[in-house]
Amino acid sequence: MAQKPGGESNSHVGRVFGLMDLLGAETSPLTLSELATSAGKLLMSTVDKTTLSEALRTRLERHTPYTQVLPRLVVAQVEAARQAGYAIARAESSPGQSSLSVPVATGIDRTPMALTALVPASDANLPRLIPPLREYAQLISREIANPD
């Protein structure tokens, strides 16, 4: 984690997870705690509605007072991510922290990926980060397509 003078962090590297983690292929019981993150919402927007509905049959964990735990609200957030092509989570997974995720194209038959920016929850203008995140996501996609 990078540190600003005075010890305040200005960036964070979190756990990288894939779609199968979200769907519970390796976990039991399924908690779907990643749905409290923007990356989780974005990755779940790539699955069909039946798969999403089945995944939401499990009780969702509340991480902060802002975590959405009602399936209909989570579905609405995932649908918004699907339509917008990005997802935002405002203090849903960690108190005082919001996130914005954009997709990283990985090609056909590859696990979807998301690039995420973590910012203080007080930052109300998260959409301003969409253009630069999308630029970096395109660079990452090119590297994945051409690893040489």
Side-chain angles (χ1 to χ4, degrees):
M1 186 165 4
Q3 296 289 319
K4 290 181 183 177
E8 185 181 337
S9 67
N10 62 1
S11 65
H12 175 79
V13 177
R15 173 162 118 54
V16 175
F17 58 91
L19 186 58
M20 296 318 294
D21 291 322
L22 289 174
L23 295 177
E26 301 290 328
T27 61
S28 181
L30 179 61
T31 62
L32 292 180
S33 61
E34 285 86 359
L35 277 174
T37 69
S38 58
K41 294 174 196 340
L42 189 64
L43 292 173
M44 286 302 283
S45 76
T46 67
V47 302
D48 62 77
K49 291 180 182 183
T50 301
T51 302
L52 177 60
S53 294
E54 288 173 10
L56 290 173
R57 289 185 183 164
T58 301
R59 184 175 170 268
L60 299 175
E61 294 178 29
R62 185 175 298 280
H63 300 282
T64 75
Y66 304 104
T67 306
Q68 297 299 329
V69 295
L70 296 175
R72 67 180 170 76
L73 296 178
V74 173
V75 168
Q77 289 180 324
V78 170
E79 278 302 312
R82 186 186 328 262
Q83 291 176 8
Y86 66 88
I88 292 176
R90 296 190 185 273
E92 291 182 51
S93 64
S94 298
Q97 178 179 289
S98 292
S99 61
L100 167 70
S101 294
V102 298
V104 176
T106 57
I108 297 172
D109 297 329
R110 297 184 96 165
T111 302
M113 293 174 54
L115 179 62
T116 301
L118 302 175
V119 299
S122 59
D123 188 341
N125 192 12
L126 283 175
R128 79 182 187 294
L129 299 175
I130 294 169
L133 275 179
R134 284 189 170 150
E135 282 184 47
Y136 283 113
Q138 288 175 350
L139 291 171
I140 293 167
S141 293
R142 282 193 287 259
E143 287 299 316
I144 290 169
N146 303 305
D148 297 338

